[in-house]
Amino acid sequence: MAVRPITKLGDPILRTVSRKVETSEIASPEVDDLIRDMIDTMFDARGIGIAAPQVGVGLQVAIINERNHPYPIINPRIIKHSLRSSEDEEGCLSIPAVFGMVRRPREVTVMYVDAKGKQHRKKVTGLLARVFQHEIDHLNGILFIDRAKTVTEKSRP
Ligand code: ZN
């Protein structure tokens, strides 16, 4: 178990497009360690998702915390999204104490590969759809503040 330092706004890796994980790298000790450490780091920071650039690694790997069950998504991409959108407040472990209202499609279909290399196709809605989109944005160098209509600073209790 290892909690890695979280990169913060201003670190160029957060603005870099992450590279795809090669099939030969999936289930390698490096990628498995990365996944384990990302889960530890996410729980330590009380996040509901985390992307590899947030621990300083430019690979297309993210963790989704679905009802306290974290799982990795590798090389994810959104293949379909609803026309209906919803607006909700977002924050980011890399931009502490900053929150903003972000409008996103309410429902998305995502393709990704799991830690064993198995391909998944998953349709998600609501908060889960928001988390998937937020994390996939990270892998493309996009932050929620780029999409937010308004951004406010507040300290967490
Ligand atoms: Zn984030």
Side-chain angles (χ1 to χ4, degrees):
M1 134 145 210
V3 171
R4 299 194 190 184
I6 295 176
T7 54
K8 297 287 158 35
L9 182 65
D11 190 317
I13 197 156
L14 291 172
R15 292 311 198 172
T16 306
V17 177
S18 292
R19 79 161 172 86
K20 275 194 161 186
V21 180
E22 303 292 338
T23 309
S24 60
E25 291 176 294
I26 293 170
S28 67
E30 290 75 20
V31 170
D32 281 350
D33 277 359
L34 172 66
I35 288 168
R36 247 192 303 274
D37 288 357
M38 284 172 66
I39 291 172
D40 291 342
T41 306
M42 180 189 72
F43 277 125
D44 181 67
R46 297 193 184 127
I48 50 173
I50 194 167
Q54 293 184 278
V55 293
V57 177
L59 279 178
Q60 287 191 28
V61 179
I63 306 295
I64 304 291
N65 191 10
E66 184 175 348
R67 294 192 196 96
N68 236 21
H69 290 288
Y71 54 90
I73 57 170
I74 299 172
N75 299 339
R77 60 197 173 91
I78 292 165
I79 57 164
K80 224 160 101 180
H81 64 81
S82 61
L83 293 177
R84 284 184 75 183
S85 61
S86 63
E87 200 174 69
D88 208 347
E89 191 175 67
E90 290 188 24
C92 181
L93 299 176
S94 294
I95 317 172
V98 173
F99 299 87
M101 295 300 287
V102 182
R103 178 164 288 280
R104 296 188 187 269
R106 201 206 276 278
E107 188 174 274
V108 292
T109 303
V110 189
M111 298 268 289
Y112 64 91
V113 172
D114 68 19
K116 290 179 175 151
K118 191 173 173 238
Q119 182 84 243
H120 293 260
R121 180 193 168 109
K122 191 175 164 98
K123 191 173 177 179
V124 287
T125 59
L127 175 64
L128 193 54
R130 184 169 293 278
V131 176
F132 266 88
Q133 292 174 80
H134 179 114
E135 302 311 334
I136 292 171
D137 271 354
H138 271 301
L139 304 180
N140 291 307
I142 299 166
L143 300 171
F144 84 93
I145 50 172
D146 305 339
R147 300 193 186 276
K149 223 162 42 183
T150 53
V151 168
T152 52
E153 258 192 277
K154 48 183 164 182
S155 49
R156 271 191 227 238

